[in-house]
Amino acid sequence: MTPSVRQMQASVAVARAGSFTEAARQIHLTQSAVSMLVLQMEEALAVQLCNRSRSATTLTEAGSDLLPMIQRILDDLDHVAQSASDLRLLRRGVLRVVAPQVLACTWVAGMLASFGREHPAVRLRMDDAGADGGVTRVRRGDAELGIGPERPAGDDISSEFLMRVPIRLVCSRNHPLARRKRVSWKELRGERWVTYSHDFMREVEGTLARHGGPGAMYAASEVGYLTTALALTGAGGGILAAPGYAEAFARNFDLAFLALGSPEIKRKFYIYRRSDRTLSPAAAAFVDALHARVDIERRRSQAA
């Protein structure tokens, strides 16, 4: 039979106090309860721990030999409890997030910085992936949370809606459309497009087809990452449809971002996680922070 924690605590208290009565006072139990716990401990170990007499209580040779080990076990249990408390209260832990490259270095980077200031003991690990690779990295366990556009996920990945991001037209500041504030999709017939994600382009073309839009978009250039597409567009390589958060790069690549209408497209973004795993306290807190920020931004947009 394995000794219980209460039995070990009572035995150590008696050894330290040299008295069942004093030990009972220190650990807030009755003397009879302490005596019973120590007796149960001795029965579990099949050795006597204490010499009992009317004048004093002393450790047997076996008790003296076992006491340091029992104390280490209790210390380790205290350490486990403290570590669990630290994780729960975000006084330690690791937050691992994956997001598409540009989302990662704009909106998500701001969220991580804010979270890090609020919880400085939590280590942050950001994995910036291609537009289509986030779900795979969550599935592999490279990241606990993924943030990105709607993607096929499978039963092993759960998706939680986060926000809608407007799609903007991006062009060089030297482009004839650059001085416009808003354009319609039909005005873009015959334009040369820069593309960076096959899934995204299929999604846009499908939305346009349902609204009588211009149909297929002629891809003059295809690249792997949105940052490259932004740079190529700024150099005059074509026009680009990109999420609104990419406007943070407008000055870097000499770009103009225009509102798109007829129809206006807002892309759904989700939080991805493994279905079979409970979120760490840090990840759960970050999910709450993401939703809170989205709510604030939505209210500001509605008030503007």
Side-chain angles (χ1 to χ4, degrees):
M1 184 168 55
T2 302
S4 70
V5 173
R6 292 192 70 192
Q7 291 166 5
M8 287 189 284
Q9 290 171 333
S11 299
V12 168
V14 170
R16 300 296 187 204
S19 162
F20 281 89
T21 301
E22 178 60 21
R25 187 189 66 80
Q26 292 177 3
I27 62 177
H28 309 292
L29 292 174
T30 64
Q31 187 274 337
S32 60
V34 171
S35 180
M36 179 60 69
L37 288 169
V38 174
L39 181 61
Q40 290 171 346
M41 176 83 168
E42 291 174 327
E43 291 175 349
L45 297 176
V47 296
Q48 187 172 333
L49 301 175
C50 297
N51 297 307
R52 297 164 174 83
S53 70
R54 291 185 177 181
S55 59
T57 300
T58 60
L59 290 176
T60 64
E61 288 295 327
S64 296
D65 189 57
L66 292 173
L67 179 64
M69 287 182 280
I70 297 171
Q71 185 63 64
R72 283 197 296 271
I73 291 171
L74 292 175
D75 290 342
D76 287 344
L77 289 173
D78 286 342
H79 181 68
V80 169
Q82 183 61 54
S83 295
S85 176
D86 288 344
L87 286 170
R88 187 175 64 255
L89 299 175
L90 303 184
R91 292 195 293 255
R92 61 176 293 180
V94 180
L95 175 62
R96 298 178 296 117
V97 181
V98 60
Q101 187 186 41
V102 173
L103 180 64
C105 68
T106 54
W107 193 80
V108 175
M111 287 299 306
L112 286 172
S114 177
F115 188 83
R117 287 190 297 270
E118 188 172 352
H119 307 291
V122 176
R123 287 181 293 155
L124 307 177
R125 294 181 182 175
M126 182 69 220
D127 187 359
D128 47 355
D132 305 322
V135 171
T136 298
R137 298 193 188 192
V138 171
R139 176 174 289 114
R140 288 199 312 239
D142 297 339
E144 189 175 6
L145 294 176
I147 304 170
E150 187 172 13
R151 289 286 185 267
D155 294 338
D156 60 331
I157 301 294
S158 67
S159 58
E160 179 180 342
F161 175 73
L162 177 61
M163 60 184 175
R164 295 177 184 270
V165 176
I167 300 304
R168 304 299 189 205
L169 176 71
V170 187
C171 62
S172 165
R173 290 194 180 276
N174 296 321
H175 193 280
L177 294 172
R179 294 186 179 181
R180 298 271 298 276
K181 290 185 177 181
R182 185 179 185 88
V183 295
S184 68
W185 287 96
K186 290 183 179 181
E187 293 179 85
L188 304 177
R189 291 182 186 277
E191 290 283 351
R192 294 163 54 86
W193 291 86
V194 178
T195 65
Y196 67 95
S197 166
H198 295 297
D199 285 345
F200 174 49
M201 297 310 295
R202 284 196 296 269
E203 181 181 334
V204 170
E205 289 179 346
T207 301
L208 294 178
R210 291 191 296 273
H211 291 83
M217 302 161 70
Y218 172 67
S221 304
E222 297 181 14
V223 300
Y225 289 93
L226 178 52
T227 45
T228 306
L230 292 167
L232 187 57
T233 301
I239 62 173
L240 171 70
Y245 55 76
E247 192 167 357
F249 287 88
R251 294 182 62 184
N252 299 70
F253 298 119
D254 201 25
L255 297 168
F257 279 70
L258 287 68
L260 270 167
S262 304
E264 180 183 28
I265 298 178
K266 290 188 176 182
R267 200 175 192 199
K268 295 179 181 179
F269 278 67
Y270 291 82
I271 301 169
Y272 297 96
R273 52 176 287 195
R274 286 280 296 268
S275 302
D276 59 347
R277 296 183 183 177
T278 300
L279 288 181
S280 67
F286 190 62
V287 168
D288 290 341
L290 291 173
H291 285 296
R293 177 62 63 84
V294 169
D295 286 342
I296 290 171
E297 292 178 354
R298 180 169 55 246
R299 289 196 295 269
R300 286 176 178 171
S301 176
Q302 292 171 348

